Every structure is written in C-alpha cells, then in structure tokens.
Amino acid sequence: MNSHSADRKVTIQLEINKEQYERDILASDILLDVLRDKIGLTGAKPGCLNGDCGACTVIMNKQPMKSCLMLAIEAIDSEILTIEGLKNTPIQRAFVEHFAFQCGYCTSGFIMICQALLLNDRNPSPEKIETWLSSNICRCTGYKEIEKAIYSVIELLNIKNQTNQ
Amino acid sequence: MLPYNFDYYKPQSIKEAIELYQLLKLQEKKPMYYGGGTEILTLGRLNFIYTDAIIDLKGIPECNAFGFQHQELIIGSTLSLRAIEENKLFPLLSDTSKEVADYTSRNKITIGGNICGQIFYRESVLPFLLSNSTVIIAGPKGTRKEFINEVFHKELRLDEGEFLVQIVTEKEYLKAKHISVKKRQQWKTGYPLLTVASLKKEGFIRFAFSGVCPYPFRSIQMENKLNDKSLSFKDRILTSFEYLPTPVLNDIEGSNEYRLFVLENTLSYILSYIGGEEHE
C-alpha cells in the first residue's frame, strides 16, 4: 500500500514531457501547484481552481486532465505532457496562424485539449470537437478561431496521411 | 492549494481499506474515502470539507471492475465517467453520465464519487434507480448487497466506515428503450436546471429526476400518474406534480416556476419519444 503521512514531506518522481523530476511535496499538494511552483513549468494556468475553466489542462496518459482537480501524488507512474512539451507542434503553430487567442490566459489549456483530442482521434467529428472543446472556457475569442486552428491541423494530418499511403 | 495537509493511503484491497479507516478513526482522525476526489479537492480548497486522511480506492481491483458476470453488468465505483461514456455497455448510463460536468472533468470524476458526493445533482444514480440495480457496499461488518432503491434515499445511506464498491445491473435493463434529457439555462456544460432519465420496461415507463428537488429521486406515485393512459399527456404530467417529494428548487440556476415549466415540457417530450400512448 502506498502511504504518505501529513507530518512530513514525501519525495515523488514525476515524468513530465519525457523528463524525470524528483521533488519533495506534501500529500495534499495539487498537481497544478507542483508543476508551477516546484518544477517551474508555468504553462498550466490557475484559473477557476474548481475544475470549470480548463486553463490548467495537461495531458496524462494521452487523456486531458485538469491539473487543479488532481493531487500530485496521484500522478505518479503517469506520463504527463504540459504545454512546454508542445513546442513547435502543428497545433501550437495553428493557434498562431489562425489567431486563436486574445488575452492568451486560456490558450495553453486550449492547445492541450486540442492536442489530446488529436492524440485520441486524428479525424474527430464536429460533434466530438465541440464536446471536447466545451471542457475549456475562453472569454475573449468566441471560439471560432480555435475551431479553425484545430480543423487546420486535422486537414494537415489527413494530407500527411494520404501522402504516406 | 488546499488549506490543510492530510495523510494519503492507497490500499490494494477492500479489507485493507476498511481496516485502515478503522485504525485512523481510533487515532481520532477524520478519514475520507477518495475516488476521483474532485469534490474533496474543490470543496476542501474552500474549507467546506475537511479531512486529515485520504483513502484512495483506485488501487482496489473490485472498484475498477467493468464487465459482465453471468447475466449482470458489474460497474466498479472508481471507474471514471469517461470510461462509462465510451464503453456503451449500459446506454442509458452512458447518455446520463456524458452530460455530467465536461469531458476533461469526466476523466477524473468517478461513478462512485458522483453517486456519493455532496453536490445534490448526482445524475449518475438515475439509471441505477430506474433499473433497480443492486449496490455492493463494504464496511467493518462485512460486505452487503442491497437494492439501490432500498438504500438510496436522498443519498446513498452508508454507515460509518462503509464505501461503495460496485453497482450491479441485470442485463435485461441494458437494452430497454430509454432516454435521458438534461436541461440547462445556457451553455453546454455546467450545472443543470434539471435532468430526467426514463426507461420503458414491459410497457411501463419509469422516471427518475435530478435537479428538480434538492436530491435525486424516483417516485412510484409520479410514475403511476405518468403512465395513466386514461389521461392526456398534459393531465398526466400536471397530476404527477402533486407527488413531487419536496417543493421544487428555486435557485440561481432557475426559479421554481421556470423549472416546473421546463419539467412539463421535458416530460411531454419524453412521453412522446418513449411511447406513452396519449389518450385522445
């Protein structure tokens, strides 16, 4: 049985963006806080801290996860991907090209949910895109540019797929 | 960040979890069983929930079960709502679960957590109430199997130290004609105005409700009225309202008058969809 006492810090190992990080944490530490304050990966943003907004979304074992809704200790033995691990990826470029942001605070969360969707389904239906994107809230863009960004990557993936066949 | 720290345990068996809970109680701690933990973390951050010891149930094999045994579907309490949504073994449950919160949150919210949580909607219980499912509950006195309709009154009635292990549903209910309707005032995620789930068995339509009253419920009296073929749909619905167990909710999501208006329309739609055979 895994057990960690409140009376002392525990040392955990996390795999983030294919790198190993060892940190001393409290059992009650939220993954979002550990990412930002103990590891220095500040791409995941604290928004509502209530699981509503999606600004803190990361990818765990290929699934999107709100890092404010998770204890860091629960993330042991998982593959974590944060926005810092998506440098120069098609989805990141698509957000720039389609101007899929305004203030930018929600952008990393949106890029993560889009990337998670594409990891799970290279050709998602419009309904599926809408369902997944509904996990995140933007209060600037009106979402159309975000949708354009993900559709452009889907198109790119399909062109690549056809070229490879 | 939570305003307090706690012990964290991840037992690998039911026995270990229960013994641990009792030990922690003896140490005058306030342990809590933990599935997805979304409610514990969000309410804990606001100091509405306090615990000094978390017992994470996700390491217990029985709590992760998902599949058929004999003629029954076994669903472990720590399965995520996403897993249930994507494995459509119980279509009514998939339809109801996929409306809870949002896709990403459903990766973390568990079926057991949704049923046993403090937030009063608890929509995931509705299909189980309609299918007269049984629940496997483990505690210091052993494991008990109960019909959910016997032990779910406003909430799942658990004794001190008990937790929900599994929910068991007979196969015959899985293919029954069904519908689940969730109504929100706006937006596609977030808290509902109300949810109505319905299932037709042997010509009789069953109904279960969330968001209408301060707790989820299934009312036999309301069902009898809603199935009264001597009445029009409108009359069935309006007379069924006399049997609502409490006054209708009147809160930020919607006034009681608006809720009743939406409920009437929703029930009318469900009766039409599922085949209520309206009296001319």
Side-chain angles (χ1 to χ4, degrees):
Chain A
M1 172 171 62
N2 292 333
S3 68
H4 302 287
S5 168
D7 303 330
R8 61 182 188 276
K9 290 204 166 186
V10 295
T11 304
I12 64 162
Q13 278 212 333
L14 294 175
E15 186 192 310
I16 306 164
N17 305 330
K18 302 215 180 299
E19 287 185 42
Q20 295 294 327
Y21 294 87
E22 191 173 282
R23 291 293 185 274
D24 292 340
I25 64 156
L26 296 170
S28 63
D29 279 347
I30 303 293
L31 179 61
L32 173 65
D33 297 331
V34 170
L35 289 173
R36 291 178 59 83
D37 303 335
K38 292 201 159 78
I39 296 175
L41 297 170
T42 55
K45 301 296 180 198
C48 64
L49 299 175
N50 199 50
D52 294 324
C53 75
C56 67
T57 302
V58 298
I59 297 174
M60 286 188 61
N61 304 327
K62 296 190 177 168
Q63 284 292 334
M65 193 64 75
K66 289 176 178 173
S67 56
C68 75
L69 288 182
M70 173 166 255
L71 296 169
I73 219 162
E74 288 182 275
I76 295 171
D77 299 328
S78 297
E79 285 180 19
I80 304 168
L81 185 63
T82 70
I83 189 72
E84 289 86 350
L86 294 186
K87 199 174 175 183
N88 295 327
T89 51
I91 191 68
Q92 186 207 32
R93 284 195 299 274
F95 266 65
V96 174
E97 285 162 11
H98 292 275
F99 212 57
F101 55 88
Q102 280 191 39
C103 84
Y105 200 79
C106 71
T107 304
S108 53
F110 264 105
I111 292 177
M112 296 312 290
I113 190 79
C114 290
Q115 178 72 8
L117 175 53
L118 296 171
L119 285 173
N120 283 276
D121 189 347
R122 288 170 72 94
N123 201 6
S125 64
E127 186 191 15
K128 192 169 183 179
I129 292 168
E130 191 177 328
T131 297
W132 281 56
L133 293 190
S134 296
S135 298
N136 292 51
I137 294 171
C138 172
R139 283 293 170 257
C140 305
T141 64
Y143 301 94
K144 282 294 160 202
E145 297 87 347
I146 295 167
E147 283 181 9
K148 279 181 190 168
I150 192 167
Y151 277 115
S152 75
V153 178
I154 291 165
E155 196 178 342
L156 184 73
L157 290 173
N158 286 335
I159 291 166
K160 276 188 180 174
N161 208 18
Q162 285 165 6
T163 311
N164 294 337
Q165 281 174 355
Chain B
M1 184 185 289
L2 288 164
Y4 51 83
N5 194 16
F6 44 66
D7 298 338
Y8 173 87
Y9 303 92
K10 194 173 182 182
Q12 303 299 302
S13 71
I14 293 172
K15 184 171 178 281
E16 200 177 20
I18 289 160
E19 286 174 355
L20 183 59
Y21 188 98
Q22 290 176 289
L23 180 68
L24 290 162
K25 288 298 283 186
L26 283 173
Q27 294 170 356
E28 298 190 337
K29 295 214 169 199
K30 194 175 183 302
M32 255 185 205
Y33 292 119
Y34 182 100
T38 56
E39 199 170 272
I40 291 173
L41 298 184
T42 52
L43 296 181
R45 193 177 57 83
L46 300 169
N47 256 324
F48 293 153
I49 281 181
Y50 176 78
T51 177
D52 50 14
I54 289 288
I55 302 171
D56 189 344
L57 301 174
K58 292 194 288 291
I60 299 172
E62 292 90 336
C63 293
N64 293 311
F66 194 23
F68 289 99
Q69 271 182 25
H70 312 298
Q71 292 300 301
E72 293 174 326
L73 175 64
I74 313 289
I75 297 177
S77 61
T78 59
L79 279 172
S80 72
L81 295 186
R82 177 188 59 85
I84 286 159
E85 181 182 341
E86 292 182 352
N87 293 284
K88 301 183 191 307
L89 296 176
F90 188 174
L92 175 57
L93 182 62
S94 297
D95 289 351
T96 309
S97 300
K98 76 179 184 193
E99 294 293 336
V100 173
D102 59 78
Y103 183 87
T104 307
S105 297
R106 290 194 293 274
N107 274 320
K108 194 67 165 53
I109 300 168
T110 60
I111 188 84
N114 187 255
I115 290 171
C116 300
Q118 286 190 15
I119 294 172
F120 62 75
Y121 296 108
R122 301 195 280 274
E123 296 108 302
S124 296
V125 79
L126 303 182
F128 297 120
L129 295 175
L130 294 174
S131 56
N132 212 18
S133 297
T134 49
V135 285
I136 311 295
I137 294 166
K141 293 176 189 166
T143 300
R144 59 190 173 110
K145 189 172 180 177
E146 307 271 6
F147 282 111
I148 195 162
N149 285 304
E150 302 286 323
V151 289
F152 192 94
H153 303 293
K154 301 183 184 178
E155 59 189 7
L156 190 64
R157 300 300 168 107
L158 296 171
D159 292 333
E160 180 72 41
E162 289 188 324
F163 66 89
L164 176 64
V165 180
Q166 292 171 342
I167 311 122
V168 181
T169 307
E170 286 178 29
K171 216 171 183 175
E172 62 180 296
Y173 286 100
L174 308 182
K175 297 290 181 225
K177 191 165 185 184
H178 65 273
I179 185 171
S180 179
V181 179
K182 182 164 183 166
K183 295 285 186 184
R184 299 179 184 88
Q185 276 225 62
Q186 55 183 355
W187 199 233
K188 291 186 174 67
T189 58
Y191 294 124
L193 195 63
L194 55 88
T195 304
V196 184
S198 184
L199 181 149
K200 193 172 189 178
K201 179 99 176 19
E202 291 159 359
F204 190 85
I205 308 168
R206 304 176 181 194
F207 295 85
F209 305 86
S210 161
V212 177
C213 297
Y215 49 84
F217 68 93
R218 177 185 169 193
S219 162
I220 302 299
Q221 291 111 317
M222 284 184 77
E223 277 176 10
N224 287 335
K225 285 293 170 194
L226 289 164
N227 280 276
D228 185 346
K229 289 176 185 166
S230 69
L231 300 173
S232 66
F233 284 174
K234 189 176 179 70
D235 287 343
R236 290 189 215 181
I237 292 162
L238 293 178
T239 53
S240 78
F241 287 174
E242 293 167 22
Y243 296 94
L244 283 163
T246 69
V248 171
L249 283 168
N250 184 22
D251 60 20
I252 195 166
E253 303 300 333
S255 67
N256 50 1
E257 294 96 339
Y258 182 61
R259 265 195 170 86
L260 279 171
F261 167 74
V262 173
L263 181 59
E264 183 184 336
N265 289 326
T266 303
L267 286 170
S268 182
Y269 171 73
I270 288 173
L271 284 167
S272 302
Y273 172 85
I274 212 160
E277 297 160 45
E278 182 158 27
H279 173 73
E280 292 301 326

